[in-house]
Structures are given as C-alpha cells and as structure tokens.
Amino acid sequence: MNKKKKAVQTKNPFLLSEKVLKCYALLLPLLTLLVIGIALLIHESAYLYRAQELNLFLYTPLYLKQLMVASGGLLAWLGSYFTQYFYYPWLGILMLCGWWALFMWVTKKAFCIPAKWTAVLLIPVLALLLTDVSIGYWLYYVKLRGYFFAATIGATLAVALAWAYRSLPSRWFLRPLFMVVSTALMYPCFGFYGLLATALMAVLAWRVDDYKLVQRIVDSVVAVVAIAAVTLLYYRFWFYQTNIVNILWTGLPIFRLSDDYYIYYVPYYILVGSLVLMAAAYRLWDSAVRRPVLWLLSQAVVVIALASTTWHFWYKDANFHTELKMEQCAWEQDWEGILTEFRNSDEECSRMMWMMKNLALFRLGTAGDQMYHYKNGDRKPDAPFTVRMAQAGGKMIYYNYGQLNFCYRWCLEDGVEYGWRVEYYKYMLKCSLLNGELTVAQKYIDILKKTKFHREWAERYEPYVKNPSLIKKDKDMELITHLLKTNDDLSSDNSLIEIYLLNRLSVTRSTDPLLHELTLLSAMQKKDIQIFWGAFFQYAQSHQNIKMPIHFQEAAYLYGHLENQVDISRMPFDKEVVDTYNDFMAEAQRYQGMTEEQMKPMMYNRFGGTFYYDYFFTRGQRSY
C-alpha cells in the first residue's frame, strides 16, 4: 500500500487528483481552440473568405493527377479540399480547429506528454495558427496550394507516423524498415512533412527505453540515408519538375519575390523546433519541475509567452482587412457597403480603398457630388515587399471600369505565375461573355461547375452563352456594356492601375453619357486643366437636362478663375459653389506665411469636402 502511494506521488507530486489533472488537460486545449475560433470568426472572416476565392479544388481525377507531378501533391490536394470550406468562414474555422484538436491529441499520445504539461501542446498549435494569420498581403502571392491547411495536415501526419514508429516492437528491424517505407511513401505525397516524420523517428530512437546503443545508431543512420536517397531518387526518376535546391522543402511555401523574406518562416521554425524538442523530451516529462509552485509558474510563463507571441505576429493592418471587406462587397454588388466600410476605417486610406470608394460612388451615380466627402490618402501597404494592386484587387477594378482585356490579362498571367484560382476563372468567364467569346465562356463555366460552392454561380451564366441578349439584362453587366464603347486595346500599365486608368479614361471620347461622367471624374483627378475642359463640355452637352454635380461645378469655377481661358461668366453656378470658393480663398489669405503642411488641417476642417481643397492640398500621392 505504501509503495502504491509512493508511486502515485511520484507520478503526481502536486497531490492533485488524477481527475483534476484530466480536467485541466481537457479544458486548456478546448478553451484555447474556442478563443482562437472566436477571434478568427470576428476578425478574419473576410480574410478567410478571400482565401477560398484564391483557392481551387476540382472534383475530378485529373486535378489530383496534375498536383502529383511534384512531391507534396496529396498534401496540396487535401489542403485545397478543406480550404474551400472557408466559403462559409464559420465552417472552415470549425474544420481548422478540429484538425488542431486532432493534432494535439496525436502529439500527446506520440510523445507521452502527461496531463500536467498540456500547455506545451499549445506551442505547435499556435505556430500553425500563425502560419495562417501572419502573412497579410502575401495571401495574394503564396503559390502553395491549400496553404491554409497544408501545415496542419502535414504536421499531424508527421507526428502520427512518429507515434506509429515508437509503438512498433524493437525486434526484427521493424522500426528501421518502417522508416524506409514511410519515407518512400510519404515524401511523394506530403513532401517535407514526410521527411519531418523520419527526422522525428530518428530523435525518438535515442529516447525509447527498449533500444540498445547499436540500434539507436542504426536507426539514425537509416533515417539520414532514407531522407537523402528517397529525395534524390524521386527527383531523378519522377519529380523532374522540382528544382533540386528545393527537393527537401516541397510542401512548404516559398516566401520569395525579388528577395527572400525569412520573417514569414518564423512560425515554421517554431513548429518544427517544438516537435523536435517534444521528441527529445520523451520520458522526461514526469521528472521535470516537481515542485507545485514552479510547475504553476512554468505553465503561466508558457501561456503568457504564447499569447504575446501570437499577438505580436498576428497581422493587424486595418487597411488590409478593410480592403478585403470592400472587395467582398464589390463581388456582391453592395456599393453602399463599400462606402460604409470606408467610413468605418480610422486609418489613412490606401489607394486601393480610395479607388474602390470612387467605383462605388460611380456605380451609385453620386461621385460628382460626394467624391471628395471622403478623406483622401495613400497609406502604403504594410508589407516588407512591394505590393502591386494588380494582384491585390486590380482585376476587380479593371473589370468594373470596362477594361476587360486588362482584367483578363492579369487573371491569365497570375494564373500561370501563382496557380489557377476560383477568382481568376470567375473574372475570365465574365470578360469572355462581355467580349462575345461564348465558347471560351462555356469552358470556364464547365470548370467552375466542378467546384463545390461555385457551381450554382457558374450555372447562373450558362443561359447567357445560349442567349447573349441576356447580358444586357444582367444588373452587373448592363452597366459595363456602356463602358465598352471605348478602345480596350492591350498596352502596358506597368502594374500602375490607377495611373493607367486616369490617363486612359480622362481622354476618352464617346457618345455614351455614362462614359462621359467617368471621363470627367478621371480628368478631375488628373488635375489637368486642358483635359478637364474637353471632358467638361462633353459631359455638359450630354446632360443638359440634369443638374450639374457640385464637384464638377467647383472644378469649373476654380479653373475658370485660375487661367481665364474659358469664359465662365454665363455658367449657372450654384450659390453654394461660389460662396465656398470665396470663403476658401479668403481663409487661405488668413494663413499666408504658413507652410502647406501647417495649413492643411485647418483648411480641411471647413473645406475638406471640396474640390478646392483637393486641388491645392492633395499632392504627390503614391500609387502602386
């Protein structure tokens, strides 16, 4: 009896019941996953929804066959499959948290982590969380298919294989044989994570208690030889499309554009390092930190450190998240929603936000009266690399301004560079319909019909192929047909979408009144007086029975006084426009002697919503 009590105390030196420890081991992971799930649902729903739009999973055998031309193909297939469920963010988050729960359970079993050390299981899980929420604008550039689930699935597999290795008997060379077979089968399917499993087995070989020194050395040598031989043989005879430099890292993302960005690998370092340390600490957990006070302190330190690290690396750029929400509103034709998101932002806007706001006002027909009622800005995207609007949202901008060839071109180029995605196929389908390329449109419809959540969307456009007259009755496409009455040739935009559109649209001459409005809006933003007057008279001629919008009047009144090239004395300006101009000039005289930067906040309080302020105080903005 005394021996039994002594054994219990050795196993549980804190004099806590096993029931209490089991509750702790259950509640800590569940509460952590609950907090993570709620945080993702509240803060990252638009982000995760966009992730599935930039994903593609086709229910065809050919899709898997295409992925298997490189190692890690099955991992990409599974990752893409689960990523598609972010179409309903809550469902995708539920699946992701379910995978993390499974991962913690497998890790606990594989490395025999006792209940009192449950907190250490959170380390790799939070590393997996950070792989998804720390990349920010890299969302548009990541080439690894199924990225958002790939690390989770791969790490779970690696730990499960290590558990299987440890569970095998030490006789008949079963363990080294399992190493070889596992590496040979898992590397082509799961890439790096198949090799990680072998590395974890090699570490465990030095920790299991039923092994002799010779066996430990044999297994370690077998692991090294298996990793080297398997990767080289597959490279030589199968995966010839993989660069030999990357054969060990397939299944991992490559964070490289013009340079390498190692900061994005930090979560992967934490993930791999924590798993290796857990394997190295096998059978040492019970003897570590036997005093209750030190144990409680260590648990608190682990939890606080993990929470701080997660908060630090979680991508929190407000403009990035606002852009995602605004673009989702654009897909849903919710133009008022775009304006609401812009107004709700407390940050200086990015050029992408400004352009989407202008697009929404144009679609609502209120740009001429409200374009300058929103604070202008050019805040740079928070990223260590150069973000191009062409990847971040330019396709949507080009499409909605009727530049279909540029929209199609960027979808095609990015599809080749970064992999085909649902979003690209959707835009190419719409562009093909509007361009009258009905056979091509049917091809994209057939592709999207092989997806789970976008089938109905594609089928909605199938009647348009058989009856193109329906295009002009479509709420979205009908307006764009007006914008097609201009040249849509394909030249070079140098990835500067805003500048290209302003230069092109401001000199457009057509017979369509809607296009006249867009031309005048573009001319105003260019602040070129000669171009403005041509666009102004074109607009005035086609809108003779419509009240001239306030901002158009403000620009005409200001330019009429600046250069006196056009006689504006007979133009029927609103009294509000004239009075505001006079007040603006009088106020500017009061602050004479101040620098422009000193005047801006004082002038903005009264005149920030006018073209006058924009013309004199908005200068040198950077587009991207």
Side-chain angles (χ1 to χ4, degrees), residues 217-480:
I217 294 174
V218 168
D219 280 21
S220 298
V221 172
V222 168
V224 173
V225 172
I227 290 174
V230 167
T231 53
L232 288 173
L233 286 172
Y234 273 109
Y235 169 75
R236 176 65 179 82
F237 295 105
W238 194 346
F239 299 132
Y240 53 86
Q241 295 186 14
T242 304
N243 191 316
I244 193 170
V245 177
N246 298 322
I247 59 173
L248 294 176
W249 319 114
T250 54
L252 290 176
I254 298 176
F255 296 111
R256 181 188 303 133
L257 291 174
S258 57
D259 198 358
D260 291 301
Y261 298 94
Y262 296 105
I263 188 67
Y264 293 102
Y265 290 109
V266 169
Y268 292 91
Y269 298 149
I270 297 173
L271 172 64
V272 174
S274 63
L275 293 179
V276 170
L277 288 175
M278 287 181 190
Y282 175 70
R283 293 193 304 117
L284 295 177
W285 297 103
D286 281 329
S287 59
V289 189
R290 303 177 69 85
R291 295 184 180 181
V293 175
L294 291 179
W295 171 77
L296 288 171
L297 182 62
S298 65
Q299 299 295 287
V301 168
V302 169
V303 172
I304 293 172
L306 289 176
S308 301
T309 302
T310 303
W311 173 256
H312 176 75
F313 285 102
W314 195 309
Y315 192 74
K316 298 181 286 291
D317 181 33
N319 279 358
F320 171 70
H321 290 87
T322 301
E323 289 174 9
L324 292 171
K325 293 174 184 176
M326 293 174 75
E327 188 155 3
Q328 187 173 343
C329 289
W331 261 114
E332 298 167 357
Q333 303 290 297
D334 182 11
W335 307 112
E336 287 289 355
I338 289 179
L339 301 179
T340 300
E341 293 296 340
F342 191 98
R343 287 192 293 263
N344 289 342
S345 175
D346 296 326
E347 304 289 336
E348 178 189 356
C349 73
S350 65
R351 297 313 297 164
M352 186 68 201
M353 290 170 61
W354 178 258
M355 291 189 71
M356 284 193 283
K357 180 269 301 179
N358 285 346
L359 173 62
L361 291 172
F362 172 67
R363 282 297 195 110
L364 293 170
T366 58
D369 288 312
Q370 299 181 19
M371 184 166 66
Y372 297 111
H373 290 187
Y374 299 80
K375 196 164 187 178
N376 207 335
D378 62 344
R379 184 174 177 181
K380 184 180 178 182
D382 184 14
F385 53 90
T386 301
V387 177
R388 295 295 183 189
M389 196 183 295
Q391 282 77 44
K395 304 171 187 67
M396 181 271 292
I397 294 293
Y398 271 138
Y399 170 77
N400 280 285
Y401 281 125
Q403 300 297 306
L404 303 184
N405 285 336
F406 265 106
C407 176
Y408 195 97
R409 169 248 178 128
W410 279 112
C411 287
L412 196 64
E413 288 192 11
D414 287 351
V416 172
E417 178 69 19
Y418 304 110
W420 295 106
R421 302 169 177 185
V422 168
E423 179 184 84
Y424 300 166
Y425 282 128
K426 285 184 174 181
Y427 278 125
M428 289 193 293
L429 164 57
K430 286 189 168 187
C431 290
S432 298
L433 285 173
L434 286 162
N435 279 331
E437 299 164 342
L438 304 181
T439 303
V440 179
Q442 184 62 56
K443 180 182 75 172
Y444 297 134
I445 290 172
D446 291 341
I447 292 173
L448 290 171
K449 283 169 67 175
K450 293 180 176 66
T451 64
K452 185 178 186 67
F453 295 109
H454 306 282
R455 179 185 179 89
E456 290 184 8
W457 186 92
E459 288 175 341
R460 167 188 163 193
Y461 292 99
E462 202 155 23
Y464 295 23
V465 175
K466 300 174 182 177
N467 185 7
S469 63
L470 294 174
I471 294 174
K472 292 187 177 181
K473 298 178 182 179
D474 185 277
K475 183 180 178 182
D476 170 34
M477 293 186 174
E478 189 277 331
L479 184 141
I480 293 176

Side-chain angles (χ1 to χ4, degrees), residues 79-99:
S80 299
Y81 171 79
F82 284 102
T83 300
Q84 70 178 329
Y85 287 97
F86 285 129
Y87 184 84
Y88 300 108
W90 66 268
L91 181 58
I93 291 169
L94 191 62
M95 289 184 170
L96 193 56
C97 289
W99 266 105

Side-chain angles (χ1 to χ4, degrees), residues 176-192:
L177 180 62
F178 179 78
M179 273 187 178
V180 174
V181 174
S182 170
T183 308
L185 294 179
M186 294 299 107
Y187 173 70
C189 295
F190 294 91
F192 166 81

